[in-house]
Amino acid sequence: MYKILLVCLGNICRSPTAEGVLAKKITQQGLSRRFQVDSAGTAAYHTGESPDERSCRAAARRGYDLTPLRARQVMASDFEEFDLILAMDHANLSSLMQNCPAQLQHKLGLFLHYHPDSIEEVPDPYYDGESGFERVLDLVEVAADALIKDLVK
Ligand code: 4NP
């Protein structure tokens, strides 16, 4: 089993959205026995909470159910346990780098590295209007397809 961890700051907007989208695409493509997805936040502000209602609503409109997900903070064992750890923005990646042992840092990267356009960050929609949540989904859906393509090639 190849394990992928998606990471943002609060684990209530971007990374649970990415988890929900990627997990559904993996299932739809019959790849559930090969790939497993989880998400976490670099901060503990929202530990135990469901994703933001605006994320849940936007995702539901496109057929993804984020409501069973619960926020958690990245832990030291994640760096051992996961094969690929992808951050939503540069600040998330810097936090991961600071906490990850040097010999495991090859597992870290940016999720949008897989997006075909040269966009590097999923913008944080938390303080934004509904359109920010749609933008997250637009970016995440394209990157998730490209990531799966890359992993199965
Ligand atoms: P996320 O968004 O990192 O995409 O989950 C945020 C959610 C909450 C906060 C910041 C970003 N916050 O500061 O509470």
Side-chain angles (χ1 to χ4, degrees):
M1 182 69 85
Y2 187 88
K3 297 181 70 174
I4 304 154
L5 183 66
L6 303 164
V7 176
C8 64
L9 177 60
N11 195 211
I12 56 165
C13 299
R14 293 165 292 171
S15 63
T17 299
E19 178 185 347
V21 169
L22 186 59
K24 182 160 186 182
K25 288 178 180 294
I26 285 169
T27 303
Q28 284 174 331
Q29 294 181 40
L31 297 168
S32 306
R33 277 198 272 186
R34 286 179 62 187
F35 300 106
Q36 193 176 313
V37 191
D38 193 8
S39 68
T42 59
Y45 315 135
H46 297 282
T47 296
E49 292 179 19
S50 306
D52 189 285
E53 278 180 24
R54 296 164 296 174
S55 293
C56 292
R57 271 200 303 273
R61 286 195 287 270
R62 300 191 193 191
Y64 307 103
D65 182 13
L66 307 186
T67 60
L69 304 179
R70 295 294 177 268
R72 72 169 181 89
Q73 190 174 22
V74 175
M75 2 179 218
S77 57
D78 289 330
F79 299 116
E80 303 280 349
E81 196 185 319
F82 286 86
D83 299 289
L84 188 61
I85 301 173
L86 298 175
M88 296 297 129
D89 65 30
H90 284 288
N92 309 148
L93 183 57
S94 299
S95 300
L96 290 169
M97 294 284 253
Q98 278 170 20
N99 292 296
C100 182
Q103 73 275 17
L104 299 176
Q105 288 192 354
H106 64 274
K107 296 180 176 187
L108 308 180
L110 286 170
F111 184 54
L112 291 193
H113 164 77
Y114 296 90
H115 195 289
D117 299 343
S118 22
I119 310 162
E120 296 194 345
E121 304 195 297
V122 183
D124 189 348
Y126 190 64
Y127 298 103
D128 207 355
E130 296 284 331
S131 67
F133 292 82
E134 294 297 333
R135 175 72 175 148
V136 169
L137 278 157
D138 290 343
L139 292 169
V140 158
E141 285 186 314
V142 173
D145 282 329
L147 171 59
I148 293 171
K149 232 181 195 170
D150 189 79
L151 290 174
V152 299
K153 81 173 181 228

Coordinates of all heavy atoms in Angstrom, one line a residue, residues 55-142:
S55 N -16.3 24.4 2.9 CA -15.6 23.4 2.1 C -16.6 22.2 1.8 O -16.6 21.6 0.7 CB -14.4 22.8 2.9 OG -13.4 23.8 3.0
C56 N -17.3 21.8 2.8 CA -18.2 20.7 2.7 C -19.3 21.0 1.6 O -19.6 20.1 0.8 CB -18.9 20.3 4.0 SG -17.8 19.7 5.3
R57 N -19.8 22.2 1.7 CA -20.9 22.6 0.7 C -20.3 22.6 -0.7 O -20.9 22.0 -1.6 CB -21.4 24.0 1.0 CG -22.6 24.0 2.0 CD -23.4 25.3 1.8 NE -22.5 26.5 2.1 CZ -22.2 27.0 3.2 NH1 -22.8 26.5 4.3 NH2 -21.5 28.1 3.3
A58 N -19.2 23.2 -0.9 CA -18.6 23.3 -2.2 C -18.2 21.9 -2.8 O -18.5 21.6 -3.9 CB -17.3 24.2 -2.2
A59 N -17.7 21.0 -1.9 CA -17.3 19.7 -2.3 C -18.6 18.9 -2.7 O -18.6 18.1 -3.7 CB -16.5 19.0 -1.2
A60 N -19.6 19.0 -1.8 CA -20.9 18.3 -2.1 C -21.5 18.6 -3.4 O -22.0 17.7 -4.1 CB -21.9 18.5 -1.0
R61 N -21.3 19.9 -3.8 CA -21.9 20.3 -5.1 C -21.2 19.5 -6.3 O -21.7 19.4 -7.4 CB -21.7 21.8 -5.4 CG -22.7 22.6 -4.6 CD -22.7 24.1 -5.1 NE -21.5 24.8 -4.8 CZ -21.3 25.6 -3.7 NH1 -22.3 25.7 -2.8 NH2 -20.2 26.3 -3.5
R62 N -19.9 19.0 -6.0 CA -19.2 18.3 -7.1 C -19.2 16.8 -6.8 O -18.4 16.0 -7.4 CB -17.8 18.8 -7.2 CG -17.8 20.3 -7.6 CD -16.4 20.7 -8.0 NE -16.3 22.2 -8.1 CZ -15.3 22.8 -8.6 NH1 -14.3 22.2 -9.1 NH2 -15.3 24.2 -8.6
G63 N -20.0 16.3 -5.7 CA -20.1 14.9 -5.5 C -19.1 14.3 -4.5 O -18.9 13.1 -4.4
Y64 N -18.4 15.2 -3.7 CA -17.5 14.7 -2.7 C -18.1 14.9 -1.3 O -18.5 16.0 -1.0 CB -16.1 15.4 -2.8 CG -15.5 15.4 -4.2 CD1 -15.6 16.6 -5.0 CD2 -14.9 14.3 -4.7 CE1 -15.1 16.6 -6.2 CE2 -14.4 14.3 -6.0 CZ -14.4 15.5 -6.7 OH -13.9 15.5 -8.0
D65 N -18.0 13.9 -0.5 CA -18.5 14.0 0.9 C -17.4 14.2 1.9 O -16.6 13.2 2.1 CB -19.4 12.8 1.3 CG -20.0 12.9 2.7 OD1 -19.9 14.0 3.3 OD2 -20.4 11.8 3.2
L66 N -17.2 15.4 2.4 CA -16.1 15.6 3.3 C -16.5 15.5 4.8 O -15.7 15.6 5.7 CB -15.5 17.0 3.1 CG -15.1 17.5 1.7 CD1 -14.4 18.8 1.8 CD2 -14.1 16.4 1.1
T67 N -17.9 15.3 5.0 CA -18.4 15.4 6.4 C -17.8 14.4 7.4 O -17.8 14.7 8.6 CB -19.9 15.4 6.4 OG1 -20.4 14.2 5.8 CG2 -20.5 16.6 5.7
P68 N -17.4 13.2 6.9 CA -16.9 12.2 7.9 C -15.5 12.6 8.4 O -15.0 12.0 9.4 CB -16.9 10.9 7.2 CG -17.6 11.1 5.9 CD -17.6 12.5 5.6
L69 N -14.8 13.5 7.7 CA -13.4 13.7 8.0 C -13.2 14.6 9.3 O -14.1 15.4 9.6 CB -12.7 14.5 6.8 CG -12.8 13.7 5.5 CD1 -12.1 14.6 4.4 CD2 -12.2 12.4 5.6
R70 N -12.2 14.4 10.0 CA -11.9 15.1 11.3 C -10.5 15.6 11.3 O -9.6 14.9 10.9 CB -12.1 14.2 12.5 CG -13.5 13.7 12.7 CD -14.5 14.9 13.1 NE -15.9 14.4 13.2 CZ -16.8 14.4 12.2 NH1 -16.4 14.8 11.0 NH2 -18.0 14.0 12.4
A71 N -10.3 16.8 11.7 CA -9.0 17.5 11.6 C -8.0 16.8 12.6 O -8.4 16.5 13.8 CB -9.1 19.0 11.9
R72 N -6.8 16.7 12.2 CA -5.7 16.3 13.2 C -4.4 17.0 12.8 O -4.3 17.5 11.6 CB -5.5 14.8 13.1 CG -4.8 14.3 11.8 CD -4.4 12.8 12.0 NE -3.8 12.2 10.9 CZ -2.5 12.2 10.7 NH1 -1.6 12.9 11.5 NH2 -1.9 11.6 9.6
Q73 N -3.5 17.1 13.7 CA -2.2 17.7 13.4 C -1.2 16.7 12.9 O -1.3 15.5 13.3 CB -1.7 18.4 14.7 CG -0.5 19.3 14.5 CD 0.0 20.0 15.8 OE1 -0.3 19.6 16.9 NE2 0.7 21.1 15.6
V74 N -0.3 17.1 12.1 CA 0.8 16.2 11.6 C 1.6 15.7 12.9 O 1.8 16.5 13.8 CB 1.8 17.0 10.7 CG1 3.0 16.2 10.3 CG2 1.1 17.5 9.5
M75 N 1.9 14.4 12.9 CA 2.7 13.9 14.0 C 4.0 13.3 13.5 O 4.2 13.0 12.3 CB 2.0 12.8 14.8 CG 0.7 12.4 14.3 SD -0.1 11.1 15.2 CE -0.8 10.2 13.9
A76 N 5.0 13.2 14.4 CA 6.3 12.7 14.0 C 6.3 11.4 13.2 O 7.0 11.2 12.2 CB 7.2 12.6 15.2
S77 N 5.3 10.5 13.6 CA 5.3 9.2 13.0 C 4.8 9.2 11.5 O 5.0 8.3 10.7 CB 4.3 8.2 13.8 OG 3.1 8.8 13.9
D78 N 4.1 10.4 11.2 CA 3.7 10.5 9.8 C 4.8 10.5 8.8 O 4.7 10.0 7.7 CB 2.9 11.8 9.6 CG 1.6 11.9 10.3 OD1 0.9 10.8 10.4 OD2 1.1 13.0 10.6
F79 N 6.0 11.0 9.2 CA 7.1 11.1 8.3 C 7.7 9.7 8.0 O 8.3 9.5 6.9 CB 8.2 12.0 8.9 CG 7.8 13.4 9.1 CD1 7.7 13.9 10.4 CD2 7.4 14.2 8.0 CE1 7.3 15.2 10.6 CE2 6.9 15.5 8.2 CZ 6.9 16.0 9.5
E80 N 7.5 8.8 8.9 CA 7.9 7.4 8.7 C 6.8 6.6 7.9 O 7.1 5.9 7.0 CB 8.0 6.6 10.1 CG 9.0 7.3 11.1 CD 10.4 6.9 10.8 OE1 10.7 6.0 10.0 OE2 11.3 7.6 11.4
E81 N 5.6 6.8 8.3 CA 4.5 6.0 7.9 C 4.1 6.3 6.4 O 3.7 5.4 5.7 CB 3.3 6.3 8.8 CG 2.2 5.2 8.7 CD 1.0 5.6 9.5 OE1 1.2 6.1 10.7 OE2 -0.1 5.4 9.0
F82 N 4.1 7.6 6.0 CA 3.6 7.9 4.7 C 4.8 7.9 3.6 O 5.9 8.1 4.0 CB 3.0 9.3 4.7 CG 1.6 9.2 5.4 CD1 1.5 9.3 6.7 CD2 0.4 9.0 4.6 CE1 0.2 9.2 7.4 CE2 -0.8 8.9 5.2 CZ -0.9 9.0 6.6
D83 N 4.4 7.6 2.4 CA 5.4 7.5 1.3 C 5.6 8.8 0.6 O 6.6 9.1 0.1 CB 5.0 6.5 0.3 CG 4.8 5.1 0.9 OD1 5.9 4.5 1.2 OD2 3.7 4.6 1.1
L84 N 4.5 9.6 0.6 CA 4.5 10.9 -0.1 C 3.7 11.9 0.8 O 2.6 11.6 1.2 CB 3.8 10.7 -1.5 CG 3.9 11.9 -2.4 CD1 5.3 12.3 -2.8 CD2 3.1 11.5 -3.7
I85 N 4.3 13.1 1.1 CA 3.6 14.0 2.0 C 3.6 15.4 1.2 O 4.7 16.0 0.9 CB 4.4 14.2 3.3 CG1 4.5 12.8 4.0 CG2 3.8 15.2 4.2 CD1 5.4 12.7 5.2
L86 N 2.4 15.8 0.8 CA 2.3 16.9 -0.1 C 1.6 18.1 0.6 O 0.5 18.0 1.1 CB 1.5 16.5 -1.4 CG 2.2 15.4 -2.2 CD1 1.3 15.0 -3.3 CD2 3.6 15.9 -2.7
A87 N 2.3 19.3 0.6 CA 1.8 20.5 1.2 C 1.0 21.3 0.2 O 1.2 21.3 -1.0 CB 3.0 21.3 1.7
M88 N 0.0 22.1 0.8 CA -0.9 22.9 0.0 C -0.2 24.2 -0.4 O -0.5 24.9 -1.4 CB -2.2 23.2 0.7 CG -3.0 21.9 0.9 SD -3.5 21.1 -0.7 CE -3.0 19.5 -0.3
D89 N 0.7 24.7 0.5 CA 1.5 26.0 0.2 C 2.9 25.9 0.7 O 3.3 25.0 1.4 CB 0.7 27.2 0.6 CG 0.5 27.3 2.2 OD1 1.4 26.9 2.9 OD2 -0.5 27.9 2.6
H90 N 3.6 27.0 0.4 CA 5.1 27.0 0.8 C 5.2 27.0 2.3 O 6.2 26.5 2.9 CB 5.8 28.2 0.2 CG 6.1 27.9 -1.3 ND1 7.0 27.1 -1.7 CD2 5.5 28.4 -2.4 CE1 7.1 27.1 -3.0 NE2 6.1 27.9 -3.5
A91 N 4.3 27.7 3.0 CA 4.4 27.8 4.5 C 4.2 26.4 5.1 O 5.0 26.1 6.0 CB 3.4 28.8 5.0
N92 N 3.3 25.7 4.6 CA 3.0 24.3 5.1 C 4.3 23.5 4.8 O 4.7 22.7 5.7 CB 1.9 23.6 4.4 CG 0.6 24.4 4.3 OD1 -0.2 24.3 3.4 ND2 0.3 25.3 5.4
L93 N 4.9 23.6 3.7 CA 6.1 22.8 3.3 C 7.2 23.2 4.2 O 7.9 22.3 4.7 CB 6.4 23.1 1.8 CG 7.6 22.2 1.3 CD1 7.4 20.7 1.5 CD2 7.8 22.6 -0.2
S94 N 7.4 24.5 4.5 CA 8.5 24.9 5.5 C 8.3 24.3 6.8 O 9.2 23.8 7.4 CB 8.5 26.4 5.6 OG 8.7 27.0 4.4
S95 N 7.0 24.3 7.3 CA 6.8 23.7 8.6 C 7.1 22.2 8.6 O 7.7 21.7 9.6 CB 5.3 23.8 9.0 OG 4.9 25.1 9.1
L96 N 6.7 21.5 7.5 CA 7.0 20.1 7.4 C 8.6 19.9 7.4 O 9.1 19.0 8.1 CB 6.4 19.5 6.2 CG 4.9 19.4 6.2 CD1 4.4 19.0 4.8 CD2 4.4 18.3 7.2
M97 N 9.3 20.7 6.7 CA 10.7 20.6 6.6 C 11.4 20.7 7.9 O 12.4 20.0 8.2 CB 11.3 21.6 5.6 CG 10.9 21.5 4.2 SD 11.8 20.2 3.4 CE 12.8 21.1 2.3
Q98 N 10.9 21.7 8.7 CA 11.4 21.9 10.0 C 11.3 20.7 11.0 O 12.1 20.5 11.9 CB 10.8 23.1 10.7 CG 11.4 24.4 10.2 CD 10.6 25.6 10.7 OE1 9.8 25.5 11.6 NE2 10.7 26.7 10.0
N99 N 10.2 19.9 10.8 CA 9.9 18.8 11.7 C 10.4 17.5 11.2 O 10.4 16.5 12.0 CB 8.4 18.8 12.0 CG 8.1 20.1 12.9 OD1 8.5 20.2 14.0 ND2 7.3 20.9 12.3
C100 N 10.6 17.4 9.9 CA 10.9 16.1 9.3 C 12.4 15.8 9.4 O 13.3 16.6 9.0 CB 10.5 16.1 7.8 SG 10.7 14.6 6.9
P101 N 12.8 14.5 9.8 CA 14.2 14.2 9.8 C 14.8 14.3 8.4 O 14.1 14.0 7.4 CB 14.2 12.7 10.2 CG 12.8 12.5 10.9 CD 11.9 13.5 10.3
A102 N 16.0 14.7 8.3 CA 16.7 15.0 7.0 C 16.6 13.8 6.0 O 16.3 13.9 4.9 CB 18.2 15.3 7.2
Q103 N 16.7 12.6 6.6 CA 16.7 11.4 5.7 C 15.4 11.0 5.2 O 15.2 10.1 4.3 CB 17.4 10.2 6.4 CG 16.5 9.5 7.5 CD 16.7 10.2 8.9 OE1 17.2 11.3 9.0 NE2 16.3 9.5 9.9
L104 N 14.3 11.7 5.6 CA 12.9 11.5 5.1 C 12.4 12.6 4.3 O 11.3 12.6 3.8 CB 12.0 11.1 6.3 CG 12.4 9.9 7.1 CD1 11.4 9.8 8.3 CD2 12.3 8.6 6.3
Q105 N 13.2 13.7 4.2 CA 12.7 14.9 3.5 C 12.4 14.7 2.0 O 11.7 15.5 1.4 CB 13.6 16.1 3.8 CG 13.6 16.5 5.2 CD 14.2 17.9 5.5 OE1 14.9 18.4 4.6 NE2 14.1 18.3 6.7
H106 N 13.0 13.6 1.5 CA 12.7 13.4 0.0 C 11.2 13.0 -0.2 O 10.7 13.1 -1.3 CB 13.5 12.2 -0.4 CG 13.3 10.9 0.3 ND1 13.9 10.6 1.5 CD2 12.4 9.9 0.0 CE1 13.4 9.4 1.8 NE2 12.5 9.0 1.0
K107 N 10.5 12.7 0.9 CA 9.0 12.4 0.8 C 8.2 13.7 0.7 O 7.0 13.6 0.3 CB 8.5 11.7 2.1 CG 9.2 10.3 2.3 CD 8.6 9.7 3.5 CE 9.2 8.3 3.7 NZ 8.5 7.6 4.9
L108 N 8.7 14.8 1.0 CA 8.0 16.1 1.0 C 7.9 16.8 -0.3 O 8.9 16.8 -1.1 CB 8.6 17.0 2.1 CG 8.9 16.5 3.5 CD1 9.5 17.6 4.3 CD2 7.6 16.0 4.1
G109 N 6.8 17.5 -0.6 CA 6.7 18.3 -1.8 C 5.4 19.1 -1.8 O 4.7 19.2 -0.7
L110 N 5.2 19.8 -2.9 CA 4.0 20.6 -3.0 C 3.0 19.9 -3.8 O 3.3 19.3 -4.9 CB 4.3 21.9 -3.7 CG 5.1 23.0 -3.0 CD1 5.5 24.1 -3.9 CD2 4.2 23.6 -1.8
F111 N 1.7 19.8 -3.4 CA 0.7 19.1 -4.1 C 0.5 19.7 -5.6 O 0.4 18.9 -6.5 CB -0.6 19.3 -3.4 CG -1.8 18.5 -3.9 CD1 -1.8 17.2 -4.2 CD2 -3.0 19.2 -4.2 CE1 -2.8 16.5 -4.7 CE2 -4.1 18.5 -4.6 CZ -4.0 17.1 -4.9
L112 N 0.6 21.0 -5.7 CA 0.4 21.6 -7.0 C 1.6 21.4 -8.0 O 1.6 21.8 -9.1 CB 0.0 23.0 -7.0 CG -1.4 23.3 -6.4 CD1 -1.8 24.7 -6.6 CD2 -2.4 22.3 -6.9
H113 N 2.7 20.8 -7.5 CA 3.8 20.4 -8.4 C 3.2 19.5 -9.5 O 3.7 19.5 -10.6 CB 4.8 19.5 -7.5 CG 5.8 18.8 -8.4 ND1 6.8 19.3 -9.0 CD2 5.8 17.4 -8.7 CE1 7.5 18.4 -9.7 NE2 6.9 17.3 -9.5
Y114 N 2.1 18.8 -9.2 CA 1.5 17.9 -10.2 C 0.5 18.6 -11.1 O 0.0 18.1 -12.1 CB 0.8 16.7 -9.5 CG 1.8 15.9 -8.7 CD1 2.1 16.2 -7.4 CD2 2.5 14.8 -9.4 CE1 3.1 15.4 -6.8 CE2 3.4 14.1 -8.7 CZ 3.7 14.4 -7.4 OH 4.7 13.6 -6.8
H115 N 0.2 19.9 -10.8 CA -0.7 20.7 -11.6 C 0.0 21.1 -12.9 O 1.1 21.6 -12.8 CB -1.2 21.9 -10.8 CG -2.5 22.5 -11.5 ND1 -2.4 23.2 -12.6 CD2 -3.8 22.6 -11.1 CE1 -3.6 23.7 -12.9 NE2 -4.5 23.3 -12.0
P116 N -0.6 20.9 -14.1 CA 0.1 21.2 -15.3 C 0.4 22.7 -15.5 O 1.4 23.0 -16.2 CB -0.9 20.7 -16.4 CG -2.2 20.6 -15.7 CD -2.0 20.3 -14.3
D117 N -0.4 23.6 -14.9 CA 0.0 25.0 -15.0 C 1.0 25.3 -13.9 O 1.2 24.6 -13.0 CB -1.2 25.9 -14.7 CG -2.3 25.7 -15.8 OD1 -2.0 25.1 -16.8 OD2 -3.5 26.0 -15.5
S118 N 1.8 26.4 -14.1 CA 2.8 26.7 -13.1 C 2.3 27.5 -11.9 O 2.7 28.6 -11.7 CB 4.1 27.3 -13.7 OG 3.8 27.9 -14.8
I119 N 1.3 26.8 -11.2 CA 0.8 27.4 -10.0 C 1.4 26.6 -8.9 O 1.4 25.3 -9.0 CB -0.8 27.2 -9.9 CG1 -1.4 27.7 -11.2 CG2 -1.4 27.9 -8.7 CD1 -2.8 27.2 -11.4
E120 N 1.9 27.2 -7.8 CA 2.5 26.4 -6.8 C 1.7 26.2 -5.5 O 1.9 25.2 -4.8 CB 3.9 27.1 -6.4 CG 4.8 27.1 -7.5 CD 6.2 27.5 -7.2 OE1 6.4 28.0 -6.0 OE2 7.1 27.3 -8.0
E121 N 0.8 27.2 -5.2 CA 0.1 27.1 -4.0 C -1.4 27.0 -4.1 O -2.0 27.7 -5.0 CB 0.4 28.3 -3.1 CG 1.9 28.6 -2.9 CD 2.1 29.6 -1.8 OE1 1.7 30.7 -2.0 OE2 2.7 29.2 -0.8
V122 N -2.1 26.2 -3.3 CA -3.5 26.3 -3.2 C -3.8 27.4 -2.2 O -3.5 27.4 -1.0 CB -4.1 25.0 -2.6 CG1 -5.6 25.0 -2.6 CG2 -3.6 23.8 -3.4
P123 N -4.5 28.5 -2.7 CA -4.7 29.7 -1.8 C -5.6 29.3 -0.6 O -6.6 28.6 -0.8 CB -5.3 30.7 -2.7 CG -5.2 30.2 -4.1 CD -5.0 28.7 -4.0
D124 N -5.3 29.9 0.5 CA -6.1 29.6 1.7 C -7.5 30.3 1.6 O -7.5 31.5 1.5 CB -5.3 30.1 3.0 CG -6.0 29.7 4.3 OD1 -7.1 29.2 4.2 OD2 -5.3 29.8 5.3
P125 N -8.6 29.5 1.6 CA -9.9 30.2 1.4 C -10.6 30.6 2.7 O -11.6 31.1 2.7 CB -10.7 29.0 0.7 CG -10.2 27.8 1.4 CD -8.7 28.1 1.7
Y126 N -9.9 30.3 3.8 CA -10.5 30.4 5.1 C -11.1 31.8 5.4 O -12.2 31.9 5.9 CB -9.5 30.1 6.2 CG -10.1 29.9 7.6 CD1 -11.1 28.9 7.9 CD2 -9.8 30.8 8.7 CE1 -11.6 28.8 9.2 CE2 -10.3 30.6 9.9 CZ -11.2 29.6 10.2 OH -11.7 29.5 11.4
Y127 N -10.4 32.9 5.0 CA -10.9 34.2 5.2 C -11.6 34.8 4.0 O -11.8 36.0 3.9 CB -9.7 35.1 5.7 CG -9.1 34.6 7.0 CD1 -7.9 33.9 7.0 CD2 -9.8 34.8 8.2 CE1 -7.4 33.5 8.2 CE2 -9.3 34.4 9.4 CZ -8.1 33.7 9.4 OH -7.5 33.2 10.5
D128 N -11.9 34.0 3.1 CA -12.4 34.4 1.7 C -13.9 34.1 1.6 O -14.5 33.5 2.5 CB -11.6 33.5 0.7 CG -11.4 34.2 -0.6 OD1 -12.0 35.3 -0.8 OD2 -10.7 33.6 -1.5
G129 N -14.4 34.5 0.4 CA -15.8 34.2 0.2 C -16.0 32.8 -0.5 O -15.0 32.1 -0.6
E130 N -17.2 32.4 -0.9 CA -17.4 31.1 -1.4 C -16.6 30.8 -2.6 O -16.2 29.7 -2.9 CB -18.9 31.0 -1.8 CG -19.9 31.1 -0.7 CD -20.0 29.8 0.2 OE1 -19.8 28.7 -0.3 OE2 -20.3 30.0 1.4
S131 N -16.2 31.9 -3.4 CA -15.4 31.6 -4.6 C -14.1 31.0 -4.3 O -13.5 30.3 -5.1 CB -15.3 32.9 -5.4 OG -14.5 33.8 -4.7
G132 N -13.5 31.3 -3.1 CA -12.2 30.8 -2.7 C -12.3 29.2 -2.6 O -11.3 28.5 -2.9
F133 N -13.5 28.8 -2.2 CA -13.6 27.3 -2.0 C -13.8 26.6 -3.3 O -13.3 25.5 -3.5 CB -14.8 27.0 -1.0 CG -14.5 27.5 0.4 CD1 -14.7 28.8 0.7 CD2 -14.0 26.6 1.3 CE1 -14.4 29.3 2.0 CE2 -13.7 27.1 2.6 CZ -13.9 28.4 2.9
E134 N -14.4 27.3 -4.3 CA -14.5 26.7 -5.7 C -13.1 26.7 -6.3 O -12.8 25.7 -7.0 CB -15.5 27.6 -6.5 CG -16.9 27.6 -6.1 CD -17.6 26.2 -6.1 OE1 -17.2 25.4 -7.0 OE2 -18.5 26.0 -5.4
R135 N -12.3 27.7 -6.1 CA -11.0 27.8 -6.6 C -10.1 26.6 -6.1 O -9.4 26.0 -6.8 CB -10.3 29.1 -6.3 CG -8.9 29.3 -6.7 CD -8.7 29.4 -8.2 NE -7.3 29.7 -8.5 CZ -6.8 29.3 -9.7 NH1 -7.5 28.6 -10.5 NH2 -5.5 29.6 -9.9
V136 N -10.3 26.3 -4.8 CA -9.6 25.2 -4.2 C -9.9 23.9 -4.9 O -9.1 23.1 -5.3 CB -9.9 25.1 -2.7 CG1 -9.4 23.7 -2.1 CG2 -9.3 26.2 -1.9
L137 N -11.2 23.7 -5.1 CA -11.7 22.5 -5.8 C -11.1 22.4 -7.3 O -10.7 21.4 -7.7 CB -13.2 22.4 -5.8 CG -13.7 21.8 -4.5 CD1 -15.2 22.3 -4.3 CD2 -13.7 20.3 -4.5
D138 N -11.2 23.6 -8.0 CA -10.7 23.6 -9.3 C -9.2 23.1 -9.4 O -8.8 22.3 -10.2 CB -10.7 25.0 -9.9 CG -12.2 25.5 -10.2 OD1 -13.1 24.7 -10.2 OD2 -12.4 26.7 -10.3
L139 N -8.4 23.7 -8.5 CA -7.0 23.3 -8.5 C -6.7 21.9 -8.1 O -6.0 21.1 -8.7 CB -6.2 24.3 -7.5 CG -6.1 25.7 -8.0 CD1 -5.6 26.6 -6.8 CD2 -5.2 25.9 -9.2
V140 N -7.5 21.5 -7.0 CA -7.3 20.2 -6.4 C -7.7 19.0 -7.4 O -7.0 18.0 -7.5 CB -8.0 20.1 -5.1 CG1 -8.3 18.7 -4.7 CG2 -7.2 20.8 -4.0
E141 N -8.8 19.3 -8.1 CA -9.3 18.2 -9.0 C -8.3 17.9 -10.1 O -8.0 16.8 -10.4 CB -10.6 18.6 -9.6 CG -11.8 18.4 -8.6 CD -13.2 18.7 -9.2 OE1 -13.3 19.6 -10.0 OE2 -14.1 17.9 -9.0
V142 N -7.7 19.0 -10.6 CA -6.7 18.8 -11.7 C -5.4 18.2 -11.2 O -4.9 17.2 -11.8 CB -6.4 20.2 -12.4 CG1 -5.3 20.1 -13.4 CG2 -7.7 20.7 -13.1

